[in-house]
Amino acid sequence: MTPDYLRAHVLPAAYAVLPKAMQSPAATAMLIAIALQESKCCHRRQLGGPARGLWQFELGGLRGVLSHKASKPHLANALEALSYPVTDDATVPYVAIEHNDVLAAVCARLLLWTLPAPLPGPQEPSVGWGAYLSAWRPGKPHRETWDAHYAEGWKVA
């Protein structure tokens, strides 16, 4: 999987089941940067860990997306549009995102949607890093790789 593939195929399909306001170059850049940071756009199951999908969600992260007032109704709509049961059980999307990149992208976009601040621009990798940390809460963050991933996200977006 490449960032170009995400931009050309996965993200448009995800945006198609989300409100139009969620589609933006900043969202695309952040989603690509986070997929690169979390899985290098190739690991749908965390090596030695519980996370799933290209954006490496743990069950708790999906519980957050399912329960947050800003994301819950949009995830319900997306689950229905993608022929999944609409449920409050986070295990349903958790199991599905390992094999469904579109649903994984929907969940990732919705997690970013819960952040109170606007998404950062192309010259703001440090702000992007802060947004990523706030939303994903990675256990072992690797700041040294972020700026290159962020730049790649904006290049592809």
Side-chain angles (χ1 to χ4, degrees), residues 70-140:
S71 55
K72 182 177 181 168
H74 303 300
L75 182 54
N77 291 339
L79 286 168
E80 185 174 24
L82 296 170
S83 299
Y84 288 99
V86 176
T87 178
D88 289 332
D89 181 0
T91 58
V92 171
Y94 176 73
V95 169
I97 63 172
E98 184 176 353
H99 308 287
N100 188 326
D101 295 336
V102 173
L103 181 58
V106 164
C107 293
R109 180 60 185 107
L110 289 172
L111 185 55
L112 289 174
W113 190 252
T114 67
L115 296 174
L119 295 175
Q123 303 305 318
E124 300 177 293
S126 293
V127 178
W129 175 251
Y132 161 68
L133 290 178
S134 179
W136 261 256
R137 299 181 184 148
K140 297 178 183 176

Side-chain angles (χ1 to χ4, degrees), residues 6-7 11 14-15 18-35 55 105-106 108-113 115 118-122 136 146 150 153-154 156-157:
L6 287 179
R7 184 202 40 80
L11 295 178
Y15 290 143
L18 291 169
K20 201 86 162 141
M22 291 190 194
Q23 182 177 352
S24 70
T28 297
M30 281 292 291
L31 289 169
I32 291 169
I34 293 167
W55 286 270
V106 164
R109 180 60 185 107
L110 289 172
L111 185 55
L112 289 174
W113 190 252
L115 296 174
L119 295 175
W136 261 256
W146 176 258
Y150 191 78
W154 274 101
V156 173

